[in-house]
Amino acid sequence: ADSGYVVISADNGLYATVFASDGSFIKRTPLTQLPGKPQPVAQSALPVTITNYLTAIYPDYVFDRAFSISANGSLKGYIVLIDANNTKYAVAFDAAGTYVSAIPVW
């Protein structure tokens, strides 16, 4: 498998940009349709409903990073990046921690 990498950026939304190990661009994927500002969130600070969902649906997943999305001081949702079964996913949840969607990133 290619040992490429993923760069997460916030530019009018949250995006994952995938590069091959030689630095060549592969793809750019929007991670959320939620308007607002992403802020990093520690795994331990995620709502228990999110961690329970991830454990149930993606056994043995590896946490990468997470973001909360807020607009006008109001929490809109979460994006959690995980590795599961050799695939990187961005899993979206609403503000209550209810699953919304999963996007394969790489």
Side-chain angles (χ1 to χ4, degrees):
D2 190 332
S3 60
Y5 55 97
V6 177
V7 174
I8 304 301
S9 62
D11 178 26
N12 295 321
L14 196 61
Y15 294 88
T17 305
V18 180
F19 296 92
S21 57
D22 67 1
S24 61
F25 172 82
I26 296 175
K27 69 177 180 173
R28 186 171 193 235
T29 304
L31 300 182
T32 180
Q33 299 301 318
L34 294 172
K37 183 176 180 179
Q39 292 292 322
V41 175
Q43 183 177 15
S44 60
L46 290 171
V48 69
T49 52
I50 291 177
T51 54
N52 287 346
Y53 177 88
L54 293 172
T55 300
I57 302 303
Y58 302 99
D60 302 320
Y61 77 92
V62 176
F63 176 85
D64 184 351
R65 60 195 116 168
F67 299 89
S68 65
I69 311 294
S70 296
N72 300 320
S74 176
L75 179 65
K76 300 300 182 185
Y78 297 90
I79 300 294
V80 182
L81 300 168
I82 62 169
D83 291 330
N85 300 320
N86 297 317
T87 302
K88 291 185 183 290
Y89 291 96
V91 187
F93 298 88
D94 67 14
T98 303
Y99 169 80
V100 174
S101 65
I103 303 165
V105 175
W106 180 29

